[in-house]
Amino acid sequence: MAQTNINIRMDENLKKQFEAFCSDIGMTMTTAFCVFAKTAVRKQKIPFEISTDPFYSESNICYLEKKMADYKAGKLQLAEHALIEA
């Protein structure tokens, strides 16, 4: 099977961290990317979930902004949680 080269641009620090990770698990970056590519082709999808943190969703940001506005306006009722020890 013929081999070919690809170039990938990434942050230098991320590259160093990824190289260290690959070394820790006993493979090279090339092997890791080949495993990713083969799995993606076989499954016909990215082989892991890609999602955003729901904390940063538009609805949650709006909720937090409203709570902060209520807090600044003195409208927010704060209570100590029952599990917090005095």
Side-chain angles (χ1 to χ4, degrees), residues 14-84:
L14 175 61
K15 179 182 181 266
K16 288 178 184 177
Q17 291 174 356
F18 188 60
E19 283 176 323
F21 165 75
C22 289
S23 177
D24 288 348
I25 61 171
M27 68 172 58
T28 64
M29 286 178 49
T30 298
T31 302
F33 282 113
C34 287
V35 168
F36 168 81
K38 287 179 181 183
T39 305
V41 168
R42 184 177 68 250
K43 292 185 174 187
Q44 290 296 293
K45 67 177 190 169
I46 301 292
F48 47 83
E49 181 179 337
I50 299 175
S51 62
T52 60
D53 185 340
F55 180 83
Y56 297 101
S57 68
E58 185 177 344
S59 62
N60 195 48
I61 296 298
C62 289
Y63 171 81
L64 293 171
E65 288 173 345
K66 180 177 181 339
K67 289 295 183 185
M68 183 55 76
D70 288 348
Y71 172 76
K72 287 179 179 178
K75 298 179 187 177
L76 192 60
Q77 300 268 335
L78 299 176
E80 191 172 277
H81 194 280
L83 293 177
I84 296 177

Side-chain angles (χ1 to χ4, degrees), residues 1-18:
M1 174 172 14
Q3 301 276 320
T4 188
N5 291 323
I6 61 171
N7 292 316
I8 299 173
R9 293 178 192 259
M10 73 171 58
D11 177 78
E12 183 178 349
N13 189 43
L14 175 61
K15 179 182 181 266
K16 288 178 184 177
Q17 291 174 356
F18 188 60

